[in-house]
C-alpha cells in the first residue's frame, strides 16, 4: 500500500514563527502536492512539484514556500506564520496523471 | 481558471434511502476523479472516469461522466451508515481542481 506520512497530526505555533511541515511518500511518485482544507472552502492547492527541486505555485501560494530536495520528501514552509494560516494541511502524492494519495493531515493552529 | 461546482453542499438521509451528488465544471475535463473523506480522516480515492458518457459501478456506488465531459455524478443506492462522509469530485490531469464536496449524513 502507498503510504504518505506527515510529520505532525497537530501543531500549535505563534504568530511570526517559521513553521516546517514535512511529507514523505514511499512509492516513488513523481508528483507531490500541498493543500489546505478549510470548512466551506474545500481543498485548495498551495504548491506542487513534478520532480526533485521542481516546484510550481498552486492557487494560493502567498505566505508559503516549499522544498523538494529528495523525491520522497516535500516540505511546506510558512516563513512567518499568521493566524489566517490556521488550517488543516494535507499532503498528497501521485504518479503522473493518476489518483492522488493523501497523508493523514496536519492541523495547524497559529495563535 | 477552471472551477468545479458540487451540489448539494450537505444531505441528510435515512439509512436505506438513495443519495446523489452532482459535479459541474466550467471547462471540459480530461478526466474526473471522486474521493471520499470520512469524518476526521483524509480524502481517499474512489474512482477515475476518463471517457465521455462513461458509467462505472462499485457495489452500491454508480459514477457517471457526462457526454460533454463537463459534469459528473455519484449515486449511492440504499445508503448505509458506513457511507457517512464528504464526497469530493476533482477534475484535471497533472493537478486537480476539487469541488467543495457534499457532506452525507446517514441516520440509522
Amino acid at each position: 500500500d502507498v503510504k504518505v506520512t506527515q510529520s505532525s497530526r497537530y501543531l500549535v505555533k505563534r504568530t511570526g514563527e517559521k513553521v516546517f511541515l514535512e511529507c514523505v511518500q514511499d512509492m516513488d511518485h513523481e508528483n507531490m502536492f500541498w493543500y489546505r482544507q478549510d470548512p466551506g472552502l474545500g481543498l485548495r492547492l498551495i504548491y506542487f512539484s513534478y520532480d526533485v527541486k521542481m516546484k510550481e505555485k498552486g492557487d494560493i501560494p502567498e505566505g508559503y514556500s516549499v522544498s523538494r530536495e529528495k523525491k520522497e520528501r516535500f516540505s511546506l514552509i510558512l516563513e512567518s506564520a499568521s493566524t489566517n494560516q490556521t488550517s488543516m494541511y494535507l499532503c498528497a502524492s501521485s504518479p503522473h496523471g493518476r489518483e492522488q494519495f493523501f497523508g493523514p493531515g496536519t492541523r495547524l493552529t497559529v495563535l | 481558471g477552471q472551477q468545479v461546482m458540487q451540489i448539494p453542499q450537505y444531505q441528510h438521509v435515512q439509512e436505506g434511502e438513495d443519495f446523489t451528488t452532482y459535479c459541474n465544471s466550467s471547462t471540459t475535463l480530461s478526466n474526473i476523479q471522486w474521493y471520499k473523506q470520512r469524518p476526521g480522516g483524509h480524502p481517499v480515492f474512489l474512482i477515475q472516469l476518463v471517457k465521455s458518457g462513461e458509467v462505472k459501478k462499485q457495489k452500491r456506488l454508480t459514477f457517471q461522466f457526462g457526454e460533454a465531459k463537463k459534469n459528473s455524478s455519484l449515486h449511492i443506492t440504499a445508503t448505509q451508515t458506513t457511507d457517512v462522509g464528504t464526497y469530493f469530485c476533482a477534475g484535471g490531469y497533472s493537478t486537480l481542481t476539487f469541488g467543495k464536496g457534499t457532506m452525507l449524513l446517514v441516520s440509522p
Side-chain angles (χ1 to χ4, degrees), chain A residues 33 35 37 40 43 48 50 90 96-100 102-104, chain B residues 33 35 37 40 42-43 45 48 88 93-96 98-100:
Chain A
F33 308 85
Y35 296 90
Q37 185 174 28
L43 282 87
F48 60 100
Y50 290 129
L90 289 160
H96 193 60
R98 298 270 310 277
E99 68 269 29
Q100 295 188 11
F102 285 83
Chain B
Q33 299 181 14
Y35 292 78
Q37 185 173 21
H42 56 275
F45 173 77
Q48 177 173 282
F88 294 95
Y93 186 69
S94 299
T95 63
L96 295 176
F98 282 81
K100 292 182 180 177

Side-chain angles (χ1 to χ4, degrees), chain A residues 82-93:
Chain A
S82 63
T83 55
N84 63 12
Q85 292 179 310
T86 291
S87 186
M88 171 67 81
Y89 289 89
L90 289 160
C91 175
S93 72

Side-chain angles (χ1 to χ4, degrees), chain B residues 27-101:
Chain B
T27 59
T28 302
L29 299 169
S30 58
N31 70 88
I32 194 147
Q33 299 181 14
W34 285 91
Y35 292 78
K36 176 183 178 182
Q37 185 173 21
R38 294 182 186 274
H42 56 275
V44 174
F45 173 77
L46 294 176
I47 207 160
Q48 177 173 282
L49 304 172
V50 177
K51 298 177 185 175
S52 168
E54 190 169 12
V55 178
K56 286 189 176 180
K57 291 192 175 185
Q58 288 180 350
K59 297 183 180 178
R60 296 177 293 103
L61 278 62
T62 302
F63 304 84
Q64 295 189 3
F65 199 10
E67 294 290 340
K69 300 184 77 173
K70 294 181 75 173
N71 62 289
S72 181
S73 65
L74 157 59
H75 179 83
I76 302 178
T77 304
T79 55
Q80 299 175 359
T81 54
T82 52
D83 295 325
V84 164
T86 300
Y87 293 84
F88 294 95
C89 63
Y93 186 69
S94 299
T95 63
L96 295 176
T97 300
F98 282 81
K100 292 182 180 177

